[in-house]
Amino acid sequence: MMDLHSLLYFKKVAELQHLTRAAEELRVAQPSLSRTIASLEADLGVKLFDRVGKGIVLNRNGAILLRHTNNALRELEDARAELSDQEAEGNRTVTISLFAASKLFPQLISAFKAEYPSIRLRLAQNDLRNQGDGEQERDIAIFSSVQPAAGENERVLIEEELLLALPEGSPLASQRVLPLSDAAEMEFICLYKGKSLRTITDLYCRMAGFSPKVVLECDSPETVRELICAGMGISFVPSITWRGMDTRNIVLRRLSAPDCKRYINLSWRKKGYLSPAVILFRDFVQDYFAVLAQK
């Protein structure tokens, strides 16, 4: 008989492909487990395992049932989570991975919490080297890319021009728009490798025919500004997400050849239940960036 009980037993046997170990982990007698699997096979009219020597191996029929079993159990977990949300509306958490736009994130969080004070936010600030880590655990990710994100669970928040920030006395400051190759011999101040902005700007430098001469790496837009003012080098500056940075004694210039820009994107979990809190935050972020882009 195919019920939840037998499907849970089948899933364990299918994962371990060993009746004795499965029985031990399930804390049931092996004969009872064998009868459950045999009853399930009889009910479905197909064999789910092939005998190989003294062991068993999941066959093609078993693989099909395992896929549907996993989907069904995931749906049940989603139902449990949704019901839990209904019972604990005031105790909600949204887990966010932040790969870009960290400078303006405090203002975004402040605006969101002003409207939804009961929703808790858990932030993980990462770089591209571990972007895939914890993908199933996070609810929302904000990241940047050279091409606009186009997945079914992704939205482009803004398209953002990348400017070149120069000390006022730089020989390049007299040009209103300059080819990126003109900066090939200049010394750059950059974010650390692995940061999405650094990955994108390194790509544009390669497209312009050079590798940037990086004299300093740091993780703070404010520190970048101070270092440029001190004449330590030049840097790329995102035109929107770094807006509001003090630009006294700094000249910002547009770039060409290549046309330097990036996309700030939003993604959310592709599979599984999205709680009302996650949906509220997802929609709020999109509205927030839409207003930001119009300023």
Side-chain angles (χ1 to χ4, degrees):
M1 179 179 176
M2 189 167 62
D3 55 17
L4 181 59
H5 175 82
S6 60
L7 287 177
L8 287 170
Y9 280 18
F10 161 74
K11 175 178 168 64
K12 181 60 67 176
V13 175
E15 289 173 346
L16 297 177
Q17 299 192 67
H18 197 286
L19 278 167
T20 301
R21 290 208 304 268
E24 289 173 353
E25 290 199 16
L26 292 167
R27 297 183 179 180
V28 298
Q30 182 176 327
S32 175
L33 180 59
S34 297
R35 285 194 298 272
T36 299
I37 298 300
S39 176
L40 184 60
E41 290 177 326
D43 184 47
L44 293 170
V46 296
K47 289 293 183 182
L48 301 172
F49 298 91
D50 293 331
R51 289 282 180 182
V52 179
K54 295 183 178 180
I56 58 171
V57 176
L58 191 71
N59 62 26
R60 294 175 65 181
N61 296 327
I64 292 171
L65 181 61
L66 180 61
R67 173 164 52 84
H68 286 285
T69 297
N70 286 334
N71 289 338
L73 293 175
R74 190 179 300 114
E75 286 292 326
L76 288 173
E77 284 302 313
D78 287 348
R80 185 192 301 274
E82 187 169 353
L83 290 169
S84 177
D85 276 333
Q86 294 298 318
E87 291 300 311
E89 192 70 12
N91 186 24
R92 298 169 294 173
T93 301
V94 181
T95 302
I96 308 150
S97 285
L98 186 61
F99 302 100
S102 59
K103 185 177 186 299
L104 60 79
F105 205 68
Q107 295 94 326
L108 187 157
I109 294 296
S110 178
F112 180 79
K113 292 292 288 182
E115 289 196 34
Y116 305 103
S118 67
I119 296 178
R120 296 185 299 170
L121 302 176
R122 186 171 63 191
L123 176 63
Q125 194 165 355
N126 300 305
D127 62 37
L128 293 181
R129 290 167 293 193
N130 58 6
Q131 186 168 353
D133 295 349
E135 186 173 352
Q136 296 303 315
E137 287 75 23
R138 67 172 174 254
D139 300 304
I140 295 289
I142 296 175
F143 64 100
S144 63
S145 59
V146 174
Q147 299 295 328
E152 64 183 57
N153 63 320
E154 298 174 333
R155 294 292 183 274
V156 174
L157 296 172
I158 53 170
E159 178 183 337
E160 180 176 40
E161 186 176 12
L162 300 178
L163 307 173
L164 198 63
L166 312 156
E168 280 186 335
S170 170
L172 299 179
S174 60
Q175 303 180 59
R176 304 303 301 176
V177 179
L178 56 98
L180 181 54
S181 58
D182 284 5
E185 300 303 318
M186 305 293 288
E187 295 182 328
F188 279 81
I189 301 161
C190 296
L191 299 181
Y192 293 113
K193 278 188 175 295
K195 296 296 182 181
S196 61
L197 178 59
R198 172 69 181 275
T199 300
I200 290 170
T201 56
D202 280 357
L203 171 63
Y204 282 132
C205 289
R206 290 196 299 271
M207 291 171 64
F210 70 96
S211 294
K213 298 178 180 178
V214 180
V215 293
L216 283 166
E217 293 180 319
C218 68
D219 202 20
S220 163
E222 290 73 20
T223 303
V224 169
R225 192 209 82 83
E226 294 300 327
L227 291 170
I228 297 170
C229 286
M232 300 300 296
I234 66 176
S235 186
F236 291 94
V237 171
S239 60
I240 298 176
T241 53
W242 284 25
R243 186 182 292 162
M245 184 178 76
D246 185 357
T247 56
R248 287 175 297 174
N249 305 316
I250 291 178
V251 175
L252 298 177
R253 291 293 179 256
R254 301 184 68 182
L255 291 163
S256 64
D259 178 20
C260 295
K261 62 183 178 182
R262 70 170 178 172
Y263 295 89
I264 304 295
N265 309 293
L266 172 74
S267 69
W268 55 92
R269 282 189 294 112
K270 191 172 184 178
K271 294 182 179 179
Y273 168 66
L274 295 181
S275 71
V278 172
I279 293 171
L280 278 174
F281 185 77
R282 180 193 66 184
D283 295 346
F284 183 90
V285 170
Q286 292 181 80
D287 292 342
Y288 186 92
F289 274 86
V291 172
L292 186 69
Q294 294 171 4
K295 292 182 179 179

